[in-house]
Amino acid sequence: MRKIALEEHFTTPELAEKYVARPTQSDTLFADVERRLADFDELRLEMMDRTGIDLMVLSVTTPGVQGVKDTDEAVRHARGANDFLAREVHKRPKRYAGFAHLPMQDAAAAADELERCVRDFGFLGALINGQTNGHYLDEDCYAPFWERVQDLDVPVYLHPGSMADHPAMFAHRPELDGPIWAWTAETAAHALRLVLGGTLTRFPKVRLILGHMGETLPFLLWRLDSRRAFDLGAELAPDERPSAIIKRSLAVTTSGVCDAAPLVAALHALGEDNVLFSVDYPYEDPQVACDFIEAAPIGDEVRAKVCHRNAERILRI
Ligand code: MN
């Protein structure tokens, strides 16, 4: 079955040295990840042909410029990374597409860079690696950015990044402070800031994409509604419930979760139009991800939506 994968990463020579997270203690594994992040011509294409991935939407691996302190440097690096990706996509437009890399240190610069990438390069949206210097995307300063996102009508993929600080809940437990749990907690909280803080109500046409089967949120819809109403001491109108905002504004991908129970739960919670296949290359094994989705206990109509039709609709491919 045709497959489009959209949480698939790369790096540039400029960003590779300082701005690539290292989520493994193994030198061997990390060397392999670095080799694959930098490759467009051999390993990646061979893997796509072997596993049956037709198209990869590529994004700068975490943190990229979300990890840059200086605004001018972030703007420069983001432009450089997008120019670099545009050249690779241009070489193989049938196999690669792009998500813009954005300097969220400056909301106006980020909006302009997104527009440049969509208009000049045909990129399909943006992927943002979490918070930037302690700032989250629901803050007022980002309103002009979301307005531009809505005008351009492209999705924003909210991907995990490093945390702004190290909360006490992870003290003396460094094994929790990474993709295994901290990144999930951070990214789910970031998405909920946009849901409960009003951003997705103010910009109702914005489409947010979360990876990792929705960072646990599809599992929690009923509880979010229940506790929000309890917190406010009032029943919410149906379209104001967190679950309604999430169902309207969020889509999720299967990246990094090759497990039938959460897949079925996500499809049930969000609807069959809002779950999209992805791998999380090169951190996950594409063969495992492809075998999983081909054999998952869902009907073939739904499988086609997950594997490619939802991506074609949401990304307008
Ligand atoms: Mn990823």
Side-chain angles (χ1 to χ4, degrees):
M1 184 173 285
R2 173 173 167 79
K3 286 185 206 72
I4 298 171
L6 55 151
E7 194 195 306
E8 319 308 332
H9 305 303
F10 74 96
T11 191
T12 70
E14 267 196 345
L15 293 170
E17 263 183 41
K18 269 172 80 181
Y19 301 113
V20 174
R22 185 185 169 131
T24 170
Q25 298 176 33
S26 159
D27 291 339
T28 318
L29 283 182
F30 193 63
D32 186 56
V33 162
E34 284 186 302
R35 208 158 56 96
R36 289 174 186 278
L37 284 170
D39 161 77
F40 295 83
D41 302 324
E42 290 170 19
L43 300 169
R44 196 182 294 263
L45 285 173
E46 181 278 320
M47 171 280 293
M48 290 170 71
D49 291 340
R50 177 167 44 81
T51 59
I53 296 174
D54 295 87
L55 178 73
M56 267 195 166
V57 187
L58 301 175
S59 52
V60 170
T61 197
T62 197
V65 305
Q66 264 69 74
V68 175
K69 288 275 172 283
D70 180 73
T71 300
D72 291 341
E73 193 187 336
V75 171
R76 203 169 56 244
H77 275 312
R79 283 186 72 96
N82 291 323
D83 290 346
F84 178 94
L85 178 58
R87 287 192 292 275
E88 293 299 333
V89 169
H90 187 71
K91 286 186 217 164
R92 296 185 180 86
K94 289 203 158 61
R95 308 311 300 278
Y96 298 148
F99 277 141
H101 192 49
L102 300 178
M104 303 314 298
Q105 290 80 351
D106 178 335
D112 289 346
E113 183 61 9
L114 175 61
E115 184 162 344
R116 184 180 81 96
C117 290
V118 172
R119 295 255 150 92
D120 296 356
F121 301 147
F123 285 5
L124 305 178
L127 182 142
I128 300 174
N129 288 314
Q131 58 83 27
T132 301
N133 295 330
H135 293 282
Y136 291 82
L137 296 170
D138 60 304
E139 292 175 32
D140 286 343
C141 66
Y142 290 117
F145 169 74
W146 289 116
E147 204 168 320
R148 195 83 61 93
V149 168
Q150 189 164 262
D151 288 347
L152 291 167
D153 196 16
V154 291
V156 170
Y157 200 123
L158 184 59
H159 183 277
S162 38
M163 305 186 72
D165 53 18
H166 294 273
M169 65 179 149
F170 300 127
H172 316 300
R173 283 281 168 254
E175 62 271 36
L176 290 177
D177 202 350
I180 190 171
W181 181 247
W183 290 14
T184 306
E186 164 93 5
T187 311
H190 198 162
L192 284 175
R193 293 180 67 109
L194 293 161
V195 173
L196 299 178
T199 306
L200 295 172
T201 305
R202 190 167 162 199
F203 302 101
K205 280 167 59 196
V206 165
R207 168 80 71 165
L208 203 67
I209 304 176
L210 294 179
H212 314 117
M213 213 65 91
E215 313 286 4
T216 71
L217 295 185
F219 214 70
L220 297 173
L221 299 187
W222 192 92
R223 179 163 176 77
L224 292 171
D225 288 352
S226 157
R227 289 309 89 190
R228 184 64 177 147
F230 188 76
D231 181 27
L232 295 172
E235 273 306 313
L236 289 162
D239 65 338
E240 290 174 348
R241 290 176 189 154
S243 66
I245 298 168
I246 287 172
K247 286 177 187 176
R248 186 195 63 218
S249 300
L250 258 69
V252 305
T253 75
T254 64
S255 68
V257 181
C258 299
D259 189 356
L263 171 67
V264 170
L267 284 164
H268 190 79
L270 302 180
E272 59 192 41
D273 292 334
N274 293 317
V275 180
L276 293 72
F277 174 73
S278 286
V279 176
D280 203 0
Y281 182 83
Y283 302 96
E284 297 282 353
D285 184 339
Q287 190 69 62
V288 172
C290 289
D291 289 348
F292 160 68
I293 205 65
E294 291 285 0
I298 52 179
D300 281 341
E301 274 295 302
V302 176
R303 198 182 326 276
K305 285 186 171 187
V306 172
C307 285
H308 66 98
R309 282 198 198 131
N310 290 340
E312 286 158 353
R313 187 188 82 252
I314 291 171
L315 304 176
R316 290 207 300 272
I317 293 168

